[in-house]
Amino acid sequence: MSISTDLRARAETLGQSLPALLAEAEHLAATLMLGEHGRRRAGQGDEFWQYRPAHQGDAARSIDWRRSAKSDAHFVREREWQAAQSVTLWVDAARSMAFSGDRDRAPKLDRARLLALALSVLLLRGGERVGLSGTTPKPGRAQIMALVEGLSSDNPDDYGTPDVAGMVSHGRAVFLSDFLGNLDPLETGLTLASDRGVRGVLLQVLDPAEEDFPYQGRTVFESMQGSLRHETQSAGDLRARYLDRLAERKARLATLARAMGWHYHCHHTGQSAQTALLWAYSALEGGR
């Protein structure tokens, strides 16, 4: 089967499963129970949010004297932050993301798409603007279907590289990938994004087999596209070196993210998707 025919078949299969994927994403988002006010915080706006005790440095004009008169302390009347953020999502759809170490376990790309959609549901529900890389982030429920359609595309390359062109200055971004390819293009992209004031998260999605390297004896390792191939008679002897290399890669990703003001987390498909979703949402919240 040719690559183009294979991709067409996968696209048709994905097209049939997208409604179910969206339903699963909606359910996953609902389990977090973050709702419309999940991202409320103090800031510029007109709507009252809460009173808080006055701190040293608060201007006298910010004191609510009527509320303060009811107690021995001074209180500040805070308003709700109403400025929506633009959040750009990049989901690596390259061939390496199609890997699964168990026929009964969904590939990494399925989990990445699920997390991206569920996160989009939460963000859009909170009033944010969301879009895929290369598109303009938009608000509203209707944007979900545009995201679903955009996530149906595949990349015939072994490994993907995020598209940072056109990212909204001082916006937020979420990159979901296995990050197993050359990291130099990622570093370049993060540098460009950081120069534009973009902050975000790197969410590395791996299969449990990639974390544990459970192979023994004669094994043939081959890239998903078939461009790389290695055969060994004693795969178990490679385990220690492989795990060292994987640890080095994770450390580099964490260091790179930290240097750019981003957050890094590794998630594997044997874990609960809810845990990764909560981490990503919280990381975006903390970087706002």
Side-chain angles (χ1 to χ4, degrees), residues 18 27 43 179 268 273 283 288:
L18 282 177
H27 176 73
F179 299 113
H268 68 71
R288 180 164 176 165

Side-chain angles (χ1 to χ4, degrees), residues 90 92 96-97 108-109 111-112 115 159 174-181 183 186 201-208 210-211 242 245-254 257 263-271 276 279-280:
W90 173 66
D92 185 358
S96 69
M97 291 292 288
K108 295 178 288 185
L109 181 54
R111 177 59 60 87
L115 290 172
Y159 304 104
V174 180
F175 293 170
L176 299 101
S177 171
D178 55 17
F179 299 113
L180 295 180
L183 292 182
L186 173 66
V201 301
L202 301 179
L203 182 52
Q204 185 178 29
V205 181
L206 297 177
D207 186 89
E210 294 171 324
E211 289 270 26
Y242 169 83
R245 293 284 296 275
L246 181 61
E248 290 173 2
R249 178 167 293 261
K250 289 181 179 181
R252 182 179 174 188
L253 286 167
H263 302 274
Y264 162 78
H265 178 70
C266 183
H267 166 75
H268 68 71
T269 55
Q271 297 171 326
W279 175 86

Side-chain angles (χ1 to χ4, degrees), residues 40-63:
R40 292 179 63 184
R41 56 177 58 238
Q44 297 178 348
D46 298 321
E47 295 187 11
F48 168 75
W49 179 26
Q50 67 177 6
Y51 291 111
R52 67 163 174 81
H55 303 309
Q56 184 176 359
D58 286 330
R61 63 177 179 274
S62 67
I63 304 296

Side-chain angles (χ1 to χ4, degrees), residues 117-271:
L117 272 181
L119 184 60
S120 298
V121 169
L122 289 174
L123 293 170
L124 290 169
R125 186 183 297 167
E128 313 289 29
R129 297 183 294 265
V130 183
L132 297 178
S133 59
T135 69
T136 301
K138 297 179 180 179
R141 171 70 185 177
Q143 178 66 354
I144 282 289
M145 296 314 299
L147 296 172
V148 170
E149 182 178 356
L151 287 171
S152 67
S153 62
D154 281 302
N155 179 356
D157 297 331
D158 267 334
Y159 304 104
T161 301
D163 178 9
V164 300
M167 279 191 176
V168 178
S169 295
H170 303 287
R172 296 292 178 263
V174 180
F175 293 170
L176 299 101
S177 171
D178 55 17
F179 299 113
L180 295 180
N182 182 1
L183 292 182
D184 290 342
L186 173 66
E187 183 170 0
T188 299
L190 284 179
T191 300
L192 293 174
S194 181
D195 288 345
R196 294 177 61 84
V198 177
R199 297 292 182 268
V201 301
L202 301 179
L203 182 52
Q204 185 178 29
V205 181
L206 297 177
D207 186 89
E210 294 171 324
E211 289 270 26
D212 301 332
F213 200 84
Y215 307 105
Q216 298 289 336
R218 180 181 179 276
T219 307
V220 177
F221 297 100
E222 189 173 39
S223 65
M224 297 300 292
Q225 194 182 41
S227 58
L228 299 173
R229 188 176 188 276
H230 175 73
E231 180 175 349
T232 178
Q233 298 298 320
S234 53
D237 294 344
L238 302 177
R239 187 173 188 272
R241 279 181 289 169
Y242 169 83
L243 293 179
D244 285 345
R245 293 284 296 275
L246 181 61
E248 290 173 2
R249 178 167 293 261
K250 289 181 179 181
R252 182 179 174 188
L253 286 167
T255 300
L256 179 59
R258 188 164 51 250
M260 300 298 174
W262 285 45
H263 302 274
Y264 162 78
H265 178 70
C266 183
H267 166 75
H268 68 71
T269 55
Q271 297 171 326

Side-chain angles (χ1 to χ4, degrees), residues 75-96:
F75 288 87
V76 171
R77 181 185 180 93
E78 290 190 326
R79 295 181 175 87
E80 182 179 350
W81 176 277
Q82 293 180 330
Q85 285 283 357
S86 290
V87 183
T88 299
L89 302 173
W90 173 66
V91 177
D92 185 358
R95 303 284 288 187
S96 69

